[in-house]
Structure formats: C-alpha cells, structure tokens
C-alpha cells in the first residue's frame, strides 16, 4: 500500500475504534483538522470583550446553561422552528442569556479558517467560556474538545434543569447532584458570579424581604436601582468587581452582600459545609483561581455527544439540512 492509502486506512480504523468505545473528549481534538481554531476563538472573544466587557460574563453563563440542559451539546443555540420550541425562551434564558451573536461570528470565521465545517458549536461555547475567564483575569485551563451538536432542544428541559435564584441550599444541591456535581462543585462553580450582572427581577424579593440576611449599606445602595415594583430589567453587579475573575464573590457572601438569594444560601453563617467552603475560597483567593478551571472542565464534560452522535452544525442556530 502507498503511504497515503495507509494513512487513510489508519484514520478510518481510529475513527471506528473511537466511536465503538465511546469517544472521549481531548484537548488536542482539532490540532490536525483545524490547527488555528483555538487562536481564532481567543482573538474573537477578546475583541467581543473589548467592545463590551460584560460579554465575558455572558459567554461563561451561556456555557453553563448549555451544559445543564441535556449536556454540553449546543442545544441552547438552536432557534425555534415550526416543529420545535427551543431553550432560548425558557424562563431562565429569555431576555437574559446573551452572546448568541458572538458565537455566530466565531462559527462563521471558523468555517473559513478551517476550510469547512469542522468545529462544533458546543465546543466553541466551551472554549469561549474559558477564553472569557482568562481575558478577565482568571487562570487558564485546557478545554476538552470533541463535543458534537444536538439536533433538538427542549424548552421544558431548560425550564426544569437550570437552577433558579429563588432556591434554598437543599434544592440547589439536589439540582447540582442531578447533574453529577457535588456541593464542592456547587460552591466553586457559583464563583462564576464573580462576573456579570443580574436584573432587579431576580433579587427584588431578597432586597425587600430578607433584610435580616443583607448587609444594610449594601442593601441601601441597591434600593435606588431596584424599587419594590417596576424596573425589572435594571442591572446590579453580582459581586464588587463584575469584570474581574477573583474571590471577591466569596468575601461578599461572608459579609451578607450576595445579590441573589441562591448565592447567600451558600453562606448562612451557621458553620455548615457550604459555609466552610465559602470561607476557604474567600480566605484563599489563589485556591479559587486554581480550582475554578477544574470545575469548569467537569461541568464542560456533562453528557457530551461524541463519535457519530449528533452532528457538527454549519450554522449554530439551525440543524443541518
Ligand atoms: C448555582 C445556581 C445558579 C443560579 C441560581 C444562577 C442564577 C443566575 C441569575 C438569576 C443571573 C442573572 C440573570 C439575569 O438577570 O437575567 C445569573 C447571572 C450569571 N450567572 Fe448564574 N446562576 C447559578 C450558577 C451559575 C454558574 C454555575 C455559572 C458559571 C460557572 C454562572 C454564571 C453566571 C454569570 C457569569 C452571570 C452574569 C451574566 C451576564 O452578566 O450576562 N451562574 N445567574
Ligand atoms: C420572552 O421575552 C419577550 C421580551 O421580553 C416577551 O415578549 C416574551 O413573551 C417572552 N417569552 C416567553 C415565552 O416568556
Ligand atoms: C415580600 O414577600 C411578600 C410575601 O411573600 C410578597 O407578597 C411581596 O411581593 C414580597 N416583596 C417583594 C418586593 O418582592
């Protein structure tokens, strides 16, 4: 056999083995098929954040909301069709999740840079989340790749599977455990709230009905922005430094300065396991920088489609024809 034929033969065998044994995600998945994929994503994420620093937060959250609904499969990116109402208008996402346009821009750039449709939308979202974290001061980590894209999405699953800011600790933990994640993962991943903003709608009840669990100076600073009624969309930062990845989020929780009810649930001052974890990260910021990436990799590995499951979408908003 000629060399080229041997290579083709080996590649076919490798692909067959990978799909037979359930392919694993790998960091170098695109190193042969699109060597410039990762640098391209990084560049475009950087540009998007320069244009609007909040976009980094939005891209991190996009990955979370993708992964928590039937795994990290790009399902959140699908637009509604005549036959399917997707995840975009589900309660936790509607008017709230952002960054779809940035993913579109990256996808179309990659279709050019890779000379074809190579990089899955689910992988783009995972890499964009990591690049956002790094651009805003977090520690880098290797993103595992090789996810394939879903061909369906479900509004009901999005409504059921994403935790709400009105949950108490047991419900938050039950939700994370239903995704194979632990209390430790809950506390570290909630550190995602070191970035970004929430609308008044989601913290109004805490602001006016939980005054006993809220730092008075902090509460006073929020009142103006989030009145008892109206201004549902008014934004407040989730921690003191909403465009920097740091442990201020945990320090805020220890001072009764959590914006969301669900965040304050992680630190209630009674000395429980969650309290201890919050205290640990608040007092050892370097540990948060160290552990956040590992927790993101774990979240990013939730039931991916691999091998010949799903597809690589040409356009992240629609299933291939
Ligand atoms: C533990 C359960 C969680 C709950 C209940 C929750 C809830 C929320 C809510 C209500 C908002 C504000 C949305 C809006 O105002 O429209 C928000 C924003 C955000 N969440 Fe979470 N979240 C959780 C976990 C996470 C995780 C695990 C991450 C990432 C690792 C994350 C990352 C973010 C980011 C970055 C924002 C700001 C987005 C922006 O400014 O565009 N959240 N979250
Ligand atoms: C989504 O938000 C838009 C704009 O606020 C609103 O008009 C629409 O009714 C919402 N859809 C659902 C399903 O809640
Ligand atoms: C405070 O709680 C009461 C009773 O549950 C509720 O009716 C009211 O709407 C809440 N206030 C705000 C501002 O959310």
């Amino acid at each position: 056999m000629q060399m080229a034929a041997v290579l083709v033969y080996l590649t076919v065998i490798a692909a067959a083995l990978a799909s037979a044994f359930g392919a694993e995600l790998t960091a170098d998945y695109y190193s042969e098929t699109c060597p410039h994929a990762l640098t391209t994503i990084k560049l475009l994420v950087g540009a998007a954040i320069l244009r609007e620093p909040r976009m980094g937060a939005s891209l991190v959250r996009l990955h979370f909301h993708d992964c928590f609904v039937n795994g990290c499969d790009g399902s959140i990116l699908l637009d509604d069709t005549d036959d399917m109402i997707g995840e975009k208008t589900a309660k936790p996402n509607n008017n709230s999740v952002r960054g779809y346009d940035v993913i579109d821009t990256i996808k179309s750039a990659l279709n050019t840079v890779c000379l074809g449709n190579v990089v899955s939308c689910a992988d783009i979202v995972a890499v964009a989340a990591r690049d956002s974290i790094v651009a805003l001061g977090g520690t880098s980590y290797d993103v595992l790749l090789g996810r394939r894209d879903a061909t369906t999405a479900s509004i009901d699953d999005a409504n059921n599977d994403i935790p709400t800011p009105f949950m108490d600790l047991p419900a938050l933990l039950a939700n994370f455990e239903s995704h194979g994640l632990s209390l430790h993962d809950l506390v570290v991943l909630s550190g995602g709230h070191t970035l970004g903003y929430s609308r008044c709608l989601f913290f109004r009840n805490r602001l006016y009905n939980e005054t006993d669990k809220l730092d008075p100076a902090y509460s006073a600073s929020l009142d103006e922005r989030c009145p008892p009624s109206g201004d549902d969309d008014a934004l407040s930062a989730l921690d003191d430094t909403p465009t920097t990845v740091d442990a201020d989020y945990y320090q805020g929780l220890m001072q009764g300065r959590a914006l969301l009810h669900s965040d304050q649930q992680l630190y209630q001052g009674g000395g429980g396991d969650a309290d201890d974890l919050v205290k640990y990260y608040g007092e050892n910021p370097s540990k948060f920088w160290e552990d956040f990436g590992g927790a993101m990799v774990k979240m990013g590995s939730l039931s991916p489609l691999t091998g010949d499951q799903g597809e690589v979408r040409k356009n992240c908003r629609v299933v291939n024809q």
Side-chain angles (χ1 to χ4, degrees):
M1 266 192 283
Q2 291 194 330
M3 197 61 190
V6 171
L7 278 178
V8 169
Y9 181 70
L10 289 177
T11 309
V12 169
I13 290 190
L17 285 175
S19 84
F21 292 106
E24 298 280 318
L25 303 178
T26 55
D28 61 356
Y29 189 81
Y30 297 109
S31 63
E32 303 287 321
T33 51
C34 188
H36 299 297
L38 295 189
T39 45
T40 304
I41 299 174
K42 186 175 182 178
L43 197 77
L44 292 172
V45 167
I49 292 175
L50 267 184
R51 227 172 10 251
E52 191 211 1
R54 184 187 174 195
M55 189 49 72
S58 305
L59 290 169
V60 171
R61 185 165 183 247
L62 183 63
H63 184 42
F64 163 50
H65 283 207
D66 184 28
C67 291
F68 263 51
V69 184
N70 300 318
C72 315
D73 60 0
S75 54
I76 193 171
L77 304 172
L78 287 173
D79 284 339
D80 293 353
T81 66
D82 290 343
D83 309 320
M84 181 196 80
I85 302 183
E87 297 167 20
K88 286 182 175 176
T89 54
K91 282 197 199 85
N93 297 337
N94 192 31
N95 220 2
S96 179
V97 165
R98 311 168 72 247
Y100 301 117
D101 295 348
V102 175
I103 301 299
D104 288 341
T105 303
I106 295 172
K107 177 67 193 183
S108 86
L110 287 178
N111 286 349
T112 305
V113 168
C114 309
L115 307 176
N117 178 32
V118 174
V119 182
S120 70
C121 299
D123 278 346
I124 294 172
V125 172
V127 174
R130 188 271 313 271
D131 291 345
S132 297
I133 289 167
V134 173
L136 297 172
T139 303
S140 194
Y141 55 92
D142 284 343
V143 180
L144 300 181
L145 299 165
R147 297 169 191 78
R148 301 198 17 119
D149 296 322
T151 52
T152 56
S154 157
I155 186 173
D156 291 335
D157 291 346
N159 277 325
N160 291 328
D161 297 351
I162 298 171
T164 80
F166 310 111
M167 284 178 170
D168 290 338
L169 182 59
L172 292 167
L173 182 57
N175 176 285
F176 270 61
E177 284 178 340
S178 77
H179 292 96
L181 298 169
S182 63
L183 176 69
H184 196 151
D185 297 323
L186 168 63
V187 172
V188 177
L189 287 168
S190 293
H193 289 176
T194 182
L195 295 176
Y197 298 81
S198 171
R199 289 175 297 154
C200 166
L201 176 73
F202 288 130
F203 61 86
R204 170 179 290 130
N205 186 59
R206 166 160 168 73
L207 186 54
Y208 294 100
N209 279 331
E210 290 180 12
T211 41
D212 55 325
K213 296 174 194 150
L214 198 52
D215 172 58
Y218 180 58
S219 163
S221 76
L222 294 173
D223 284 354
E224 241 178 279
R225 261 184 263 181
C226 185
S229 66
D231 284 351
D232 281 1
D233 294 339
L235 295 174
S236 284
L238 286 160
D239 83 346
D240 286 347
T241 52
T243 54
T244 311
V245 174
D246 57 25
D248 286 11
Y249 165 77
Y250 298 101
Q251 287 152 14
L253 301 192
M254 291 161 69
Q255 298 160 2
R257 296 166 66 91
L259 186 62
L260 303 178
H261 170 82
S262 51
D263 286 328
Q264 198 61 66
Q265 282 289 302
L266 303 180
Y267 188 89
Q268 300 176 67
D273 292 345
D275 281 23
D276 287 348
L277 287 163
V278 168
K279 196 157 176 268
Y280 173 74
Y281 288 110
E283 290 173 354
N284 302 282
S286 64
K287 296 294 179 191
F288 173 63
W289 273 296
E290 250 172 70
D291 293 353
F292 189 42
M296 289 295 289
V297 170
K298 195 168 170 190
M299 184 180 87
S301 302
L302 293 180
S303 358
L305 300 171
T306 56
D308 52 15
Q309 298 168 319
E311 62 182 18
V312 174
R313 261 179 244 145
K314 291 191 189 76
N315 171 341
C316 294
R317 292 175 183 267
V318 295
V319 171
N320 294 343
Q321 295 309 306

